[in-house]
Structures are given as structure tokens and as C-alpha cells.
Amino acid sequence: MTESERGNHARRGELRGDPERRNRIIEACLDVIADKGVAGTSHRVVAAAAGVPLGSMTYYFDGMDDLLHQTFERFADDSVSRMRERFAGIATREEACEAVVRTIVDDVFRNQHDLSLNLEFYTLAARDPAYRDITTRWMGRSREQLRRFFDPRTAQMLDAMIEGFSIHCALSTVPPSEDDIREGVRRIAAVSQSFTNKN
């Protein structure tokens, strides 16, 4: 075995000994993006935040775009999982309206870390179509929960409302109140129900 082969073998053994390293890198990348933005995120900065050797980054990620893609995929998956948990066991349209309110108030508004990640992700996907596969799947899975209780058009409007409030909360010095959010959800649901009954 050559010296180079021995080095590669040792490196593979080191990586196998730390199976959580990839997950730790992604979590660190989320923190870095929330703190510094996508523009301030690099392999070196993320490796330092994750406490891993810089050289190990290329073992898990095929360049910076792959790291960002996997990181935002994780963020979207976590968001959908929280929403799915909120809608689990719900049986009525009224309960679904309240679940939308709780999604906005308790999940979307829960901390500045996630609000910053939302805005960074929106900006990245708006500028680079390569990331819109994530947004498309994210919207589809969110609306799947809503379509259990609302028609497809209403589900789309409520999904847009959820995302819109995240932007308003991040940019406004006075975030919308829970009562305002609840009223908005009820108005969309009521108009939809009235339209459905007439047809």
C-alpha cells in the first residue's frame, strides 16, 4: 500500500468513526446561514462551526452548492414535519383553521434564527432556479396537509398566507398579533366555504 493509499484508508476510517459528522455539518451550516447569510457561508466557516477538519467537507458534499442544497432540504423537511404534527389527529375544518394559526404563531414566528433562514432561502431560490425543486416540494407537502380540510385554491391561499406572515414578521418592527392572524385565516376559510356552497 502506497503512502497515499494509507492516508486515504486512515481518512475513511476516521470518517466511519464519526457517523454523525454529516448531520453536524448541516446543523452548523444552518446556524452559519442564520448568522452570516448565504453570502457569508463557506466551507471553511462551516467546518470551523461544526468542529470538523476542513478537508472532510468534500467527503460529504460535492461543492458549496451541494452543501447549501442539502442544508435547505433539511430546513424544509423539518418545517413540513412540524406542520404534519400540528395537523395530526385533526378532524374538523375549524380545528384546521386553528392549526394554521398555531403553525404561524408557534412555528413560523418561533425565533429569529428560523426567520432569517426563511428569508435567506427565499432569496437564494429566487435568484437561482436550481433551488426551486426544494421550494416546490415544500409547498406541495404543506398544501397536502391543508387540502385535507380545504379545497386546492384555499389551500394555496392559506399556504401563501403562512409564508407571507413569515416575511412580515421578519421585516416589521411590530409583528402581526395572534388575533389578526386568526381573523385572516378565518376570512380566507369563510370566503372559500361561501363560494363552495354557492356552487
Side-chain angles (χ1 to χ4, degrees):
M1 181 182 294
T2 67
E3 182 176 347
S4 176
E5 289 172 335
R6 284 195 297 272
N8 290 336
H9 180 76
R11 179 167 171 268
R12 286 193 296 270
E14 176 189 357
L15 293 171
R16 283 196 299 270
D18 188 4
E20 287 299 311
R21 180 173 291 184
R22 176 180 172 276
N23 181 65
R24 195 161 71 247
I25 292 170
I26 290 176
E27 291 298 325
C29 189
L30 285 167
D31 290 340
V32 170
I33 293 171
D35 183 47
K36 301 177 181 296
V38 170
T41 302
S42 67
H43 275 275
R44 185 176 298 278
V45 173
V46 173
V52 302
L54 178 60
S56 70
M57 298 290 288
T58 56
Y59 182 86
Y60 298 99
F61 308 100
D62 185 19
M64 196 65 209
D65 284 339
D66 185 36
L67 172 59
L68 290 174
H69 206 281
Q70 291 193 44
T71 298
F72 279 119
E73 188 82 63
R74 168 74 59 82
F75 182 65
D77 287 346
D78 289 346
S79 176
V80 171
S81 294
R82 286 193 298 271
M83 187 174 186
R84 187 177 292 118
E85 289 173 5
R86 290 217 174 271
F87 280 80
I90 288 177
T92 69
R93 187 183 177 93
E94 184 176 350
E95 290 174 337
C97 286
E98 187 59 26
V100 173
V101 175
R102 297 267 58 88
T103 295
I104 296 171
V105 174
D106 297 336
D107 296 336
V108 174
F109 288 7
R110 68 179 186 158
N111 55 52
Q112 186 60 47
H113 177 277
D114 283 9
L115 284 172
S116 296
L117 283 168
N118 258 324
L119 292 182
E120 288 292 328
F121 184 29
Y122 295 159
T123 302
L124 182 63
R127 289 177 173 170
D128 189 344
Y131 292 88
R132 292 180 198 165
D133 63 317
I134 303 175
T135 56
T136 299
R137 288 194 300 274
W138 187 357
M139 289 186 291
R141 289 183 292 172
S142 296
R143 292 173 189 177
E144 180 182 350
Q145 297 301 311
L146 295 166
R147 284 195 297 268
R148 293 169 52 204
F149 306 94
F150 307 99
D151 64 271
R153 180 174 292 179
T154 303
Q156 181 177 3
M157 288 189 289
L158 288 171
D159 187 45
M161 182 182 184
I162 293 170
E163 299 300 334
F165 268 124
S166 72
I167 297 174
H168 281 214
C169 184
L171 301 181
S172 175
T173 56
V174 183
S177 70
E178 183 172 328
D179 287 342
D180 289 340
I181 293 168
R182 184 172 287 107
E183 180 65 18
V185 171
R186 286 177 176 172
R187 288 189 183 191
I188 292 175
V191 169
S192 168
Q193 186 67 45
S194 175
F195 180 81
T196 300
N197 291 339
K198 289 178 181 179
N199 290 271

